[in-house]
Amino acid sequence: MKGYRISILRHGTTEANEKGIYIGKTDMPLSDKGAAELCAKMDEYDYPTVHRVYSSPLKRCTETADILFPATEMCIVDDLRELDMGIFENKAASELVNREDYREWLKGGQDNRPPGGESLEELTARTYKAIHEIITDMMNDGITHSAVITHAGIISNMLSCFGLPKYDPKTLSTAPGEGFEIIVTTQMWLNSQAFEILGLCPYEKLPETEDYSVIE
């Protein structure tokens, strides 16, 4: 049965990431350091050859896609955007630690949300819409390998909710420019709304082998 591979990657570093500031819906671009790190990773790792890139609409993701897959068609998927952090947006944990509403939010729970922000339950529903749209589009267009550029929260939510085998979301953290590769079949998605987690992405570069051929 035909399988559809998707390489799900986290965007590169922003200045907010460097300062430990929460940004969810805030549309912040990559920092100079973040862009340079992505270019360095392209030399260190083998990124897959994909036929389409699906990206969050936020600049840090579209800029990452432009660096990692410069010649590949990009489609914006609005539901791939990061969790709305409400009044915690653009604030560091150190600024919030003494707030009761922040400590309550850290306890977790499907219905728990930052004031004015988005709950985990709402994020999961949106994440399902995003991956369903992507898989359906790939199947309709016969695309066998695509990349998804999105955010750390979306990646952990997507893989923990719909991926097999099952992992704790805390174990699904990923570095900027890195992520996971999954595979799904039509039957698996339509019957179970699930996909298989294959492993990490990008791939370690294979060592160059010496040429021992004899020229006569």
Side-chain angles (χ1 to χ4, degrees):
M1 184 173 291
K2 190 174 185 179
Y4 301 87
R5 296 170 78 96
I6 307 175
S7 301
I8 305 174
L9 302 168
R10 182 184 174 190
H11 64 78
T13 302
T14 67
E15 288 187 8
N17 297 141
E18 294 168 9
K19 296 176 181 178
I21 294 173
Y22 287 118
I23 53 168
K25 66 179 181 180
T26 304
D27 198 5
M28 184 171 287
L30 297 176
S31 64
D32 291 341
K33 177 183 176 183
E37 287 174 344
L38 291 176
C39 292
K41 287 191 176 186
M42 292 182 72
D43 291 331
E44 183 180 357
Y45 296 101
D46 280 328
Y47 281 86
T49 299
V50 300
H51 308 110
R52 186 171 292 167
V53 178
Y54 299 93
S55 176
S56 158
L58 301 183
K59 291 176 184 175
R60 55 193 184 270
C61 291
T62 58
E63 291 177 359
T64 297
D66 284 337
I67 292 172
L68 297 182
F69 305 99
T72 307
E73 175 191 15
M74 187 195 311
C75 293
I76 300 300
V77 179
D78 188 61
D79 284 320
L80 287 174
R81 68 191 183 279
E82 182 60 291
L83 178 75
D84 184 344
M85 299 292 295
I87 65 173
F88 299 157
E89 287 272 341
N90 300 303
K91 293 181 172 62
S94 58
E95 299 177 70
L96 300 169
V97 67
N98 292 321
R99 293 183 57 136
E100 180 61 32
D101 53 3
Y102 178 68
R103 293 197 297 266
E104 188 64 28
W105 176 67
L106 289 178
K107 294 178 183 178
Q110 290 290 320
D111 297 328
N112 201 353
R113 73 179 73 227
E118 191 175 19
S119 71
L120 185 58
E121 183 177 39
E122 290 167 329
L123 178 69
T124 300
R126 179 160 61 77
T127 301
Y128 171 79
K129 287 175 59 181
I131 191 64
H132 181 74
E133 177 181 339
I134 291 165
I135 292 171
T136 301
D137 189 63
M138 290 179 67
M139 291 175 178
N140 288 340
D141 289 356
I143 295 171
T144 56
H145 197 166
S146 70
V148 167
I149 310 295
T150 187
H151 309 266
I154 295 291
I155 293 173
S156 62
N157 182 269
M158 186 181 293
L159 271 65
S160 63
C161 291
F162 309 109
L164 297 173
K166 289 297 181 184
Y167 291 98
D168 186 315
K170 297 183 182 66
T171 68
L172 296 170
S173 60
T174 181
E178 300 178 26
F180 299 87
E181 190 156 281
I182 69 170
I183 190 167
V184 63
T185 64
T186 302
Q187 182 177 11
M188 189 176 189
W189 184 250
L190 295 180
N191 291 348
S192 306
Q193 290 76 57
F195 51 73
E196 181 182 355
I197 302 172
L198 296 178
L200 300 176
C201 186
Y203 322 126
E204 294 282 351
K205 279 187 179 289
L206 294 175
E208 294 185 6
T209 57
E210 295 186 33
D211 184 359
Y212 292 104
S213 60
V214 178
I215 301 177
E216 296 183 357

